[in-house]
Amino acid sequence: MSLDKYFKLWEEDDPEYQGVEVEIILPEEDTNIPPSLEDTDKKEGDSDRGLVTSQPSGKTSPDGEQKDGDLNKGDSRDIGLGQDGDVEEESPKSFDDLPDGVYMLISAGYDSKEEKPFLLFYDPRREEIIKVVDQTGHKPYAYSKMRKAELENNQIIRMYASKILDITEEEKHDPLTDRDIIVSKIVVRDPLVIGGRKDSLRERIELWEADIKYYLNYLFDLGLQVGDYYVLADGRPVRYDVDPAPEILREAEKLSEEEKEWLFRLAQPVIKFRRVALDIEVYNPPNVMPQPENPEHPIFIVSLRGSDGMRRVLLLDREGKYNGSKEVEGYEVEIYRDELGLIKGALEVIRTYPIILTFNGDAFDLPYIINRAKKLGFQNITQYFRQGRNEVHPAWGIHIDLYKFFKNPSIKNYAFSGAYDIISLDTIARALIGKGKVEIPEHFSMMETEEILRYAVTDAEITYELTAFNNDLVMRLITIIGRISNMTLDDVTRLAVSNWIRNRLLYLHRKKNYLIPREDEIRRKQGSRHFEPVTKGKKYVGALVIDPVPGIHFDVTVVDFASLYPSIMKEYNISYETVNCPHPECRENKVPKTSTWICTKKRGIISEFVGVIRDIRVNVFKKLSKDKSLPREKRDFYNVVQGALKVFINAIYGVTGSEAFQFYYLPSAEAVTTYGRYIIEESIKTAQKLGLRVIYGDTDSLFIEKADKEKLQQLIDEIQRRFRLKLEVDKEYRYVVLSSRKKNYFGVTRDGALDIKGLQGKKSNTPPYIKDIFYQILDHLRGITNPEEFEEARKDIIKIINEAQEKLAKKEVPVEELVISVTLSKPIESYTKTTPQHVKAARKLRDKLKREVPPGSVIRYVKVRGREEVLPIELVRDPREIDSNKYIELLLSTLEQILDVLDIHVDNKRKRVQIVNEKGTLDQFFKIQ
DNA sequence: GCGGACTGCTTACCT
DNA sequence: ACAGGTAAGCAGTCCGCG
């Protein structure tokens, strides 16, 4: 039976669906009492736990070589990902089970009813959350630089007297002046007295440490760290040290105390979290987006997938018409006769899971459920959830919105090497687990119910799998980032890297008894920019890019500095308080070619942080992740740790140059790049003196042609001696093809792999057909070792190009292959200065097809003849509309980048295009080989 | 009124 | 809500041209 009919049946007698408000009568058995938190605390039952027993998959993932620091396998762009769709059903077995009564700290918050901060612990034995409300009497506070007596006479403080519990004096170290000072601690009852309201104290007088979320302050003061294990002694958390593995103990021997601390904490096992993925389907009319803030259409399917193997799909079937299978894709189909019953049924299941997973649940699924339940008369729904401005937390645990997590550029680029570029469940799942969503060919109303269920359950399934693949990689990554940042796991998944770094730095300040400087204090510090930025709109000068020597270069060695900027920050003591420090005696320690000086007396807090995590990553976790004597499961775990560390290490320099960062200080960011340019310049000079030929370099790398082994070693030693920085061989190319363009080249490595950088043909906005030709040509060039082979390849290449042109001219290329995909990066109405082609196309989508084109949409359009210029692919009716000449030009300009230096030239007049071969230089080149 | 030279905007890439 | 450097295509403008 088609769902079409099925829905019509109940839609007709559903007045609400036609926009008329009706009173909803709750089902008789409505005895749902929202789980109070106390209730959850003491709950012992696994009575209503998962239903389906888990089935170990037994399969292991292919042992692919991993790229440096890449948590995913392979390089998606060039060779396609090593796919591994397997999901382990069994929990990771590599670590001994933790004793009973040991819990992991995963979150914290402020209970405004109790007026107390609370901690959320995860109990790995019972697989539930334990909420611990503060018993220490900790109270919110902030600091003033006024003395107590002065404060007590202060006009404003007097006005707030009733809200202030206490004022005490304390000694703190001021990192900006490097002096110990007396500050006054103003203790209050309610965090909102300090900040968060228009009339909060911090808006009225100058306060320090007044913009730290209270529950974080609480964690810092109690010395608690997210992701660590604790036992509860009379309800108070006491740290529980997990016995380190033998390989960790071995590594610890050579480390400093500070490094050991990090090593032991990060190496603690991450247990398998009990969790449930949730996904809803709303029955909306065609082309109408369901609005969570005004949920007019019914929730008719809820799919649930538990980490314990539970698979259930709840279906709304008011008339009892469903006669399809009772099980779809392993999901048990549960029928509900009314929508509220279905919502409550879903709640009953998810409240037994401490962690809820969604994809976009903050913005869609959870608010939709909440507002829909309210609309159906179930006001108590709000007791199940705490709603923030842009987030929803379950009252009994935490909610991880994977959309936000994967959208985070640090996660996308550093942890997953940009394996996905569009942020959607489908694209991310395809890239990471090799599985996508099920296509929906048409509107729900045209589909069989079972077909819809299949579609719906796949969403829950892949949402879960995104957290489960590679031994729970994503859950472990989130936990490790929690450990490094000391942020609650829910914050980790929602906030950006600058916040993670800020948070750890706040903790470090507190630990050192430093008074945390206000932003304006750091910015008022002396020190200015020394070089005019090259690029308009930039604040300071960045890296140096060496002009490439165009041509084919055989036998090229690439040397680079291992994480140059972090190393500079570590070795040259760069931090907001050490750059232009207060000591006169440090003023001679100048950054080259500037008047900026750096402290010689005290270790900078950021320098120390980046130094420690850089060292334990390189010296321990990276090493262990490659140690073949360890079981794969352990290596995988250490790989996650080193990958998480890498995210921080790579971002720290960047955030110090970002105005959004609390510890932003331009001279410190500028000092890093100035050192960087100086060091790379000096390295070139040294190389040249040694007789090494540098043909290209970018930021931290040198491309050296036919490098003599000994001279290369001399270079490396000399640099090490002078700068205390490690230069190392990164790559060896059989040959590299450079044009005169920077950041544009390709090369074939010793093992025959093709490396393509920056070339037009690689870019995501190049039409598939042109990309295909581009890769065909490179494939012909890949194997070449001598002039004869080149001549052969040249003929083939010319043939490929000529045929492609002909095909384009005759319009034999399918329209789909000519699509140009460009991201609409901001709201469509904010393109006011110019109207780029993709915006033109987007407007047509909006106006003619009434399609929504929010920022982030990828607009797919083609170039057409006539006044229209461009058309979104959706509006192309006739392939003859295509502007072939435009595509021929695009093809040739794309190929020009690689053909130019190979002496294959394109006729200037591109009306009648032909390939011209200017013989000469190439043959000579080969003769030198 | 037209076209080349130029600048600015926008996107996607590299490190 | 991490940085700057670079390439490319197009939009829009200026200027010369009797």
Side-chain angles (χ1 to χ4, degrees), chain A residues 11-79:
Chain A
E11 273 169 28
E12 278 159 17
D13 60 14
D14 180 4
E16 193 223 338
Y17 193 69
Q18 290 153 19
V20 185
E21 283 291 333
V22 287
E23 194 187 349
I24 307 287
I25 294 139
L26 294 175
E28 287 288 62
E29 74 279 9
D30 180 35
T31 50
N32 247 339
I33 299 148
S36 83
L37 290 160
E38 284 68 25
D39 187 35
T40 318
D41 291 351
K42 295 187 204 90
K43 209 167 69 81
E44 45 181 348
D46 3 357
S47 54
D48 49 358
R49 221 115 324 118
L51 305 165
V52 185
T53 46
S54 63
Q55 314 139 358
S57 73
K59 281 189 242 164
T60 50
S61 34
D63 196 353
E65 203 54 43
Q66 307 211 335
K67 264 184 73 176
D68 170 53
D70 187 352
L71 298 175
N72 202 25
K73 294 190 204 64
D75 182 58
S76 61
R77 290 229 194 292
D78 297 332
I79 55 170

Side-chain angles (χ1 to χ4, degrees), chain A residues 257-485:
Chain A
E257 284 309 307
E258 183 72 20
E259 289 169 335
K260 263 188 219 165
E261 165 81 7
W262 276 104
L263 171 65
F264 290 142
R265 285 191 53 242
L266 295 181
Q268 295 173 102
V270 174
I271 62 267
K272 176 159 178 162
F273 291 104
R274 176 176 156 87
R275 55 198 191 270
V276 63
L278 168 142
D279 179 66
I280 68 169
E281 305 300 332
V282 171
Y283 196 86
N284 51 296
N287 297 324
V288 174
M289 282 295 279
Q291 308 285 334
E293 58 281 3
N294 181 22
E296 289 189 37
H297 310 292
I299 298 170
F300 75 115
I301 297 176
V302 177
S303 317
L304 301 165
R305 163 66 153 102
S307 54
D308 50 5
M310 184 275 294
R311 290 178 172 88
R312 283 204 225 174
V313 56
L314 283 51
L315 173 69
L316 179 64
D317 179 10
R318 294 187 177 167
E319 299 290 313
K321 300 281 183 182
Y322 179 71
N323 57 3
S325 190
K326 288 280 181 292
E327 196 187 289
V328 176
E329 305 277 319
Y331 280 67
E332 189 188 325
V333 181
E334 227 166 81
I335 309 286
Y336 285 83
R337 299 301 288 267
D338 78 298
E339 193 188 345
L340 197 53
L342 178 141
I343 293 173
K344 290 180 175 177
L347 280 176
E348 276 309 314
V349 179
I350 64 172
R351 65 187 269 192
T352 70
Y353 289 84
I355 298 176
I356 297 177
L357 308 168
T358 63
F359 195 89
N360 205 24
D362 274 339
F364 182 70
D365 301 65
L366 295 182
Y368 203 96
I369 290 175
I370 293 168
N371 292 336
R372 185 71 187 167
K374 278 190 203 164
K375 190 166 184 160
L376 297 174
F378 181 40
Q379 297 302 328
N380 273 354
I381 184 81
T382 51
Q383 297 192 33
Y384 283 82
F385 299 99
R386 278 188 300 133
Q387 274 182 285
R389 232 169 315 169
N390 296 306
E391 62 211 54
V392 182
H393 305 280
W396 65 92
I398 68 170
H399 164 217
I400 293 175
D401 183 344
L402 293 172
Y403 170 72
K404 284 190 177 151
F405 182 69
F406 283 108
K407 195 176 164 213
N408 185 324
S410 293
I411 295 302
K412 173 173 173 280
N413 298 324
Y414 291 122
F416 295 109
S417 303
Y420 51 91
D421 39 32
I422 301 163
I423 318 292
S424 74
L425 183 55
D426 184 57
T427 51
I428 296 173
R430 274 179 209 285
L432 301 182
I433 56 178
K435 254 186 224 182
K437 289 168 74 116
V438 175
E439 293 265 340
I440 19 174
E442 60 230 322
H443 185 251
F444 286 149
S445 59
M446 304 300 286
M447 291 163 69
E448 293 287 338
T449 311
E450 238 187 275
E451 194 59 31
I452 301 177
L453 290 176
R454 194 161 293 126
Y455 163 80
V457 301
T458 310
D459 277 9
E461 186 70 18
I462 57 186
T463 301
Y464 170 70
E465 286 189 20
L466 279 178
T467 68
F469 74 99
N470 279 8
N471 283 321
D472 282 5
L473 183 151
V474 164
M475 294 308 293
R476 290 169 155 199
L477 183 60
I478 291 169
T479 311
I480 302 295
I481 293 171
R483 282 181 186 165
I484 303 172
S485 63

Side-chain angles (χ1 to χ4, degrees), chain A residues 196-209:
Chain A
R197 284 211 199 106
K198 269 197 246 79
D199 63 346
S200 295
L201 205 45
R202 73 170 182 214
E203 312 298 332
R204 313 290 293 276
I205 65 166
E206 195 176 41
L207 291 178
W208 275 256
E209 310 195 8

